[in-house]
Amino acid sequence: DGGITQSPKYLFRKEGQNVTLSCEQNLNHDAMYWYRQDPGQGLRLIYYSQIVNDFQKGDIAEGYSVSREKKESFPLTVTSAQKNPTAFYLCASSPGSSYNSPLHFGNGTRLTVT
Amino acid sequence: AQTVTQSQPEMSVQEAETVTLSCTYDTSESDYYLFWYKQPPSRQMILVIRQEAYKQQNATENRFSVNFQKAAKSFSLKISDSQLGDAAMYFCAYRRTTGANNLFFGTGTRLTVIP
């Protein structure tokens, strides 16, 4: 079955360490997205990519980095510069830049930094 | 700037009854798309229904329907014959058709279904 796989489901890190969240899709979608979800704040866009080797900052990109070397993969690195990294992270994809296309979401990764 | 407001942090409904979740948005654009997403305890976001702003007819998907009032910038979700599996967080989202490809989400409404 086609879908989006995020791993791991739970991730624990010490403060000051960089950590990379994995996102893989086999839907052959061009566009991929990373969202952060905090209680009471809905989803906020971190980064998005509409094509391989290209990506743009979203609303809250500071302290995060991404790469898009392959169409299927869009890993997110949470760096030590991110002041409040503990959150739930959702990866999503869509077929292209068509605004009618809904986003397909992964199951998310819960990151806890202590 | 586009904003999406869900004024009901929590709602509850008796099983088999009908409930309406409210959503308002702010935009200066005339063409856009609106979505309702459901996030059950598994936390995966699932598309419930979508509406195109240039279509006057309200979208429906089985027990789910919307009341789209473009002039009022309102996009409410009606769930009929509520089932226990409908219990979830519901997010309203707006997508513009110009500029960066992005969805703007509301803060969500937690729906409880009472057996």
Side-chain angles (χ1 to χ4, degrees):
Chain A
D1 290 337
I4 300 175
T5 301
Q6 288 188 244
S7 61
K9 188 171 183 179
Y10 299 98
L11 191 54
F12 298 89
R13 280 293 182 271
K14 294 289 187 184
E15 192 174 330
Q17 294 179 335
N18 292 353
V19 58
T20 298
L21 282 59
S22 170
C23 178
E24 303 279 334
Q25 56 101 355
N26 60 5
L27 299 167
N28 200 33
H29 286 174
D30 289 316
M32 296 187 74
Y33 310 79
W34 273 105
Y35 286 90
R36 171 178 172 142
Q37 186 176 17
D38 295 284
Q41 294 196 44
L43 276 70
R44 293 182 290 168
L45 183 67
I46 305 172
Y47 268 99
Y48 67 100
S49 167
Q50 294 180 287
I51 196 169
V52 175
N53 292 323
D54 186 45
F55 48 83
Q56 288 80 39
K57 293 181 179 180
D59 299 321
I60 55 166
E62 184 175 352
Y64 300 97
S65 66
V66 294
S67 63
R68 187 85 187 276
E69 298 178 0
K70 299 186 300 182
K71 187 175 185 178
E72 305 79 22
S73 179
F74 191 42
L76 173 74
T77 296
V78 184
T79 75
S80 57
Q82 169 50 234
K83 296 178 182 178
N84 187 19
T86 294
F88 186 67
Y89 292 88
L90 280 163
C91 179
S93 70
S94 68
S97 59
S98 171
Y99 299 100
N100 186 38
S101 301
L103 268 59
H104 298 255
F105 286 85
N107 287 334
T109 293
R110 173 68 183 178
L111 173 64
T112 302
V113 177
T114 58
Chain B
Q2 286 78 27
T3 59
V4 179
T5 302
Q6 294 179 250
S7 60
Q8 308 154 314
E10 297 183 352
M11 292 282 285
S12 61
V13 62
Q14 289 285 145
E15 193 175 3
E17 297 296 311
T18 295
V19 65
T20 298
L21 309 183
S22 66
C23 173
T24 59
Y25 55 94
D26 182 27
T27 184
S28 58
E29 301 181 0
S30 61
D31 194 17
Y32 46 86
Y33 295 92
L34 296 164
F35 304 84
W36 277 98
Y37 280 88
K38 168 185 178 180
Q39 188 180 43
S42 68
R43 304 204 73 174
Q44 183 170 19
M45 297 283 284
I46 302 166
L47 178 68
V48 174
I49 199 165
R50 80 182 90 176
Q51 175 78 42
E52 298 164 34
Y54 63 86
K55 289 188 176 179
Q56 293 184 340
Q57 186 174 8
N58 289 325
T60 62
E61 288 286 344
N62 299 314
R63 298 183 295 106
F64 298 88
S65 62
V66 299
N67 184 4
F68 173 49
Q69 302 289 327
K70 191 172 184 179
K73 297 179 183 177
S74 172
F75 182 60
S76 60
L77 174 70
K78 186 172 81 171
I79 306 174
S80 304
D81 185 26
S82 297
Q83 300 175 359
L84 294 178
D86 294 334
M89 283 288 289
Y90 286 83
F91 291 94
C92 176
Y94 164 101
R95 175 176 257 183
R96 59 190 177 195
T97 60
T98 58
N101 192 358
N102 191 9
L103 271 177
F104 296 91
F105 287 88
T107 52
T109 297
R110 181 174 300 281
L111 178 66
T112 301
V113 180
I114 303 167

